Amino acid sequence: MRRVEHVMGMPVSLVLRGRHADGEAGEAAWQDALASLREADRVFSTWREDSFISRLGRDEIELGACPPEVAEVLGLAEAARLESDGAFDVRRVAADGTRVLDTDGVVKGWAVQRAAACLAVLDETDYCLSAGGDMVCRVVDPDAEPWQIGIEDPRDPSRLIARIPVRDGAVATSGSAHRGAHIVDARTGQVPSGVASVTVVAPDLTWADLDATSAFAMGDGALPWLRTRPGRVGLVVAADGTAEVFGAA
């Protein structure tokens, strides 16, 4: 079963294989996953004037008036800020000097990981849920083949620079190949140099995405920092095209 939908401003795709790959249960789980993502968009979209996160950022409402998920996401953001020594921060200064609350760097991975829980109820069924290139994967049978996740060459997205087998976990990549210079080092406000892309494999997409984004924001400091992160494996591609693996397989 293969499905694709545009949600949260990005393509979201699903592949199922196994018992429920072609049936009502699989389709229902996909619809539940989409509903979860749409609800996250309603609460957190910075493009929607009426979202809770937009209203909170404009000081129109207090945190207590928001759904509990907002406090959860802000807690994750604060943990990422501390662990990255400030390179990652959802509170930034806009071009006009105003303070902006932008949780996009947390919400994508968090929302997709949460949506994947809708698929985890499918017994004897493997899944690969992808959103904007980041993925949550599961393989039920320990003897079955893992999902093979291709990592794009940031200088030539038509070419793969590596393949990563994933049985139960998540893969996130941060870089400028598709969205341009959208990540900055929150400590300086500058676009990082020295790094073209960062791919992180972790047990869940929330932290895979946070670590990939934080590391990319650090520029030349990405690889040394990632080597301190427990349970992480991945690939850092430098601006000159050289690639280096970190972590233990």
Side-chain angles (χ1 to χ4, degrees), residues 25-229:
E27 184 63 39
W30 167 236
Q31 294 302 321
D32 288 345
L34 290 176
S36 177
L37 292 170
R38 291 186 180 114
E39 175 62 12
D41 190 58
R42 184 185 74 85
V43 174
F44 290 103
S45 174
T46 54
W47 297 98
R48 295 178 56 159
E49 293 290 321
D50 63 341
S51 72
F52 282 94
I53 205 67
S54 292
R55 294 166 62 198
L56 183 65
R58 295 193 301 264
D59 294 323
E60 293 177 2
I61 56 174
E62 296 184 353
L63 182 58
C66 298
E69 292 82 4
V70 175
E72 179 184 349
V73 164
L74 292 178
L76 288 166
E78 179 61 9
R81 185 186 71 83
L82 294 172
E83 294 184 24
S84 68
D85 196 26
F88 179 94
D89 197 340
V90 297
R91 293 175 172 84
R92 58 181 174 82
V93 179
D96 60 3
T98 59
R99 297 288 294 178
V100 176
L101 176 62
D102 183 355
T103 56
D104 288 356
V106 183
V107 169
K108 178 185 175 184
W110 171 85
V112 176
Q113 183 65 48
R114 191 172 70 156
C118 300
L119 308 170
V121 303
L122 299 172
D123 58 322
E124 300 177 36
T125 305
D126 302 340
Y127 63 79
C128 181
L129 179 64
S130 173
D134 295 342
M135 301 181 181
V136 181
C137 304
R138 181 185 72 171
V139 176
V140 178
D141 185 348
D143 296 323
E145 290 295 317
W147 296 102
Q148 296 289 336
I149 309 302
I151 307 302
E152 292 178 350
D153 182 341
R155 301 193 303 173
D156 179 7
S158 67
R159 187 177 79 90
L160 294 183
I161 198 170
R163 290 182 185 271
I164 299 177
V166 181
R167 304 191 65 84
D168 189 5
V171 183
T173 298
S174 288
S176 57
H178 292 281
R179 294 181 58 193
H182 67 289
I183 300 174
V184 299
D185 185 338
R187 298 168 296 191
T188 64
Q190 299 299 310
V191 175
S193 60
V195 62
S197 72
V198 175
T199 297
V200 175
V201 183
D204 71 87
L205 188 55
T206 302
W207 278 103
D209 196 22
L210 281 170
D211 278 15
T213 304
S214 297
F216 187 85
M218 295 176 186
D220 290 333
L223 193 58
W225 182 75
L226 286 166
R227 285 174 171 156
T228 72
R229 304 295 288 159

